[in-house]
Amino acid sequence: MVRVTGKHTSTRLLLICVTLLAFAFLADIFWASSPHFSSQWTSQHKPQTTIVLPPKEKTIRYKNETVSGRILSATYADLPAPELQWEKMAPAPVPRLDGAAIQIKNLLFVFAGYGTIDLVHSHVDIYNYSDNTWGGRFDMPKEMAHSHLGMVTDGRYIYVVTGQYGPQCRGPTARTFVLDTKTKKWNDMPPLPVPRYAPATQLWRGRLHVMGGSKENRHTPALEHWSLAVKDGKALETEWRPEIPIPRGGPHRACVVVNDRLYVIGGQEGDFMAKPGSPIFKCSRRNEVVYNDVYMLDDEMKWKELPPMPKPDSHIEFAWVIVNNSIVLLGGTSDKHPLTKKMILVGEIFQFNLNKLEWSVIGKLPFRVKTTLVGFWDGWLYFTSGQRDKGPEDPGPKKVIGEEFN
């Protein structure tokens, strides 16, 4: 967990980031989706109830030089960002990559994910923001996917849609489930019409919406959009209803509902695929295109394109929170290195002001990291889990983590 303060803000910006425990990533290919997880937040300091975002003109400009331990190279294109101060907290029970997380009041429910490329988690861990403790671990259904999940909550029930079943680059499932967080009981839901990896998922106007993601080969972007009427943890229909397709397909996007509007942010086209003939579905690298697109679904059920993100960003499906009528988004992955073609991780914190429909860069993380799991409680911003960079000079992915910062 991390506590963050902006150098030039008049009001203290408090943020909290995850506990990251370094896990060596064992794979003979450079796999940008390795798994590990970190955790959360504990307020050892007196919390504030709001975050005040630093004004643009007061950001610190980083050049090709050492700044707070990070050496930036022009080729890697880290964006200028205010300097923040982070405090390390207690670690999460396990490291996770490509896991999922849902916050309900002071509890963060953390699901599934990779431990290593050959090990996937099949349980839920719970972090309590009020007393900075982990506990209450319980199992997921045996048929439930282990990564690349679509997930959303109504405040009590957590709806879990499709995802990848198993380690490496195995196939997806169409199965869907719902968890009653009060009783810890699971129930089946109608399966999605076809399996998908990491679809954009949200509850909007009484319906569970599932959009895009990757198709069954894990690489081809999907455009389909379905919805299902749900209430109090139960499906009110037996079949999913087709809706207007998403303008651009692909997985690993943030999907947010705020002010009765549905937003889909960032993402990518393409992903790792199983190597042909591999008995373990060994991951094989394919071309990926990361984008900065932002779309909104309006009252007429038509997609509207909004101002793009400051840079292309993917692997952000659980990396966002709503603060002061803004979407605040942490980390992710960006375009590949122009020379080496290796994946570049993101270390910036982005804000999308919903009043002005404007993006800004409001800070940076202690390192670049993808698939962060983010929460917000009593004025503190938390992140946990993911895969971090190789170091200040190398933004490529390396260790899956389970540390925690405040």
Side-chain angles (χ1 to χ4, degrees):
M1 209 159 66
V2 179
R3 175 184 178 183
V4 188
T5 49
K7 256 187 176 179
H8 300 282
T9 51
S10 57
T11 304
R12 182 171 288 176
L13 169 64
L14 298 180
L15 297 174
I16 331 174
C17 207
V18 236
T19 201
L20 302 173
L21 277 188
F23 255 60
F25 181 61
L26 302 177
D28 40 343
I29 65 168
F30 183 80
W31 198 58
S33 276
S34 300
H36 278 136
F37 166 69
S38 15
S39 243
Q40 252 64 349
W41 17 341
T42 114
S43 32
Q44 294 181 340
H45 306 17
K46 185 178 180 180
Q48 296 181 357
T49 57
T50 59
I51 282 182
V52 179
L53 303 173
K56 257 185 184 177
E57 65 272 18
K58 293 191 176 180
T59 58
I60 297 173
R61 300 291 171 181
Y62 298 122
K63 299 179 181 178
N64 190 17
E65 60 187 10
T66 300
V67 179
S68 297
R70 176 177 293 180
I71 303 172
L72 304 180
S73 169
T75 4
Y76 299 150
D78 283 359
L79 297 178
E83 190 166 0
L84 304 175
Q85 186 179 17
W86 299 87
E87 297 176 12
K88 197 171 182 179
M89 312 301 287
V94 296
R96 279 185 171 90
L97 176 74
D98 282 319
I102 290 290
Q103 180 180 345
I104 298 177
K105 296 180 180 179
N106 65 322
L107 300 179
L108 187 73
F109 293 80
V110 180
F111 297 75
Y114 289 93
T116 69
I117 188 64
D118 295 309
L119 169 69
V120 288
H121 301 301
S122 187
H123 71 276
V124 182
D125 289 309
I126 304 173
Y127 184 81
N128 188 318
Y129 292 98
S130 299
D131 59 12
N132 184 33
T133 59
W134 286 92
R137 172 173 170 163
F138 61 97
D139 291 335
M140 304 180 332
K142 293 181 179 180
E143 303 83 5
M144 187 173 143
H146 302 98
S147 66
H148 297 76
L149 300 163
M151 189 176 294
V152 68
T153 187
D154 62 3
R156 171 175 174 173
Y157 298 94
I158 296 176
Y159 300 88
V160 183
V161 180
T162 192
Q164 177 178 315
Y165 192 86
Q168 287 280 349
C169 282
R170 281 174 167 75
T173 175
R175 297 290 297 272
T176 67
F177 299 89
V178 61
L179 169 67
D180 184 339
T181 60
K182 289 189 176 180
T183 65
K184 307 297 188 299
K185 296 296 177 79
W186 294 91
N187 285 304
D188 285 316
M189 297 273 286
L192 207 63
V194 292
R196 286 290 179 262
Y197 293 90
T201 304
Q202 258 297 349
L203 285 168
W204 189 45
R205 299 180 177 179
R207 302 189 69 85
L208 178 59
H209 287 259
V210 178
M211 301 151 278
S214 291
K215 293 188 176 182
E216 291 87 335
N217 66 2
R218 209 177 188 273
H219 179 75
T220 304
L223 296 171
E224 293 91 345
H225 174 190
W226 298 280
S227 74
L228 182 73
V230 294
K231 185 177 181 181
D232 297 333
K234 295 180 180 178
L236 305 182
E237 300 167 333
T238 57
E239 295 183 355
W240 292 78
R241 184 176 80 186
E243 302 282 4
I244 181 173
I246 196 165
R248 189 171 189 178
H252 296 306
R253 315 162 103 159
C255 186
V256 185
V257 167
V258 59
N259 299 332
D260 198 33
R261 294 289 186 270
L262 188 151
Y263 300 86
V264 178
I265 302 170
Q268 66 184 55
E269 294 175 348
D271 208 339
F272 283 77
M273 296 175 63
K275 185 176 181 179
S278 171
I280 63 168
F281 299 87
K282 181 180 178 64
C283 289
S284 176
R285 189 175 181 184
R286 294 292 186 273
N287 185 50
E288 301 168 9
V289 177
V290 182
Y291 41 84
N292 58 358
D293 299 357
V294 180
Y295 299 100
M296 182 186 75
L297 200 57
D298 64 16
D299 290 331
E300 298 178 353
M301 290 300 290
K302 294 181 180 178
W303 290 101
K304 179 180 180 180
E305 192 165 358
L306 299 180
M309 301 184 70
K311 69 193 299 184
D313 204 5
S314 177
H315 291 78
I316 53 175
E317 45 267 71
F318 302 102
W320 58 270
V321 291
I322 304 298
V323 181
N324 298 342
N325 204 37
S326 292
I327 299 171
V328 177
L329 203 150
L330 285 67
T333 62
S334 192
D335 285 326
K336 288 185 171 60
H337 190 285
L339 300 177
T340 66
K341 305 304 179 186
K342 291 183 178 180
M343 179 180 289
I344 293 176
L345 302 186
V346 173
E348 294 90 351
I349 302 172
F350 303 112
Q351 175 214 4
F352 187 50
N353 186 308
L354 296 170
N355 295 323
K356 300 179 179 180
L357 296 182
E358 291 179 354
W359 285 96
S360 59
V361 183
I362 63 169
K364 67 174 186 176
L365 299 168
F367 37 72
R368 307 173 190 92
V369 59
K370 61 182 275 193
T371 69
T372 55
L373 307 178
V374 177
F376 182 76
W377 180 250
D378 278 352
W380 293 83
L381 180 65
Y382 300 80
F383 84 80
T384 180
S385 180
Q387 184 178 16
R388 66 160 295 173
D389 59 17
K390 293 182 178 179
E393 296 183 77
D394 191 340
K398 187 177 182 181
K399 294 179 179 179
V400 178
I401 56 178
E403 300 167 337
E404 186 171 356
F405 292 82
N406 172 277

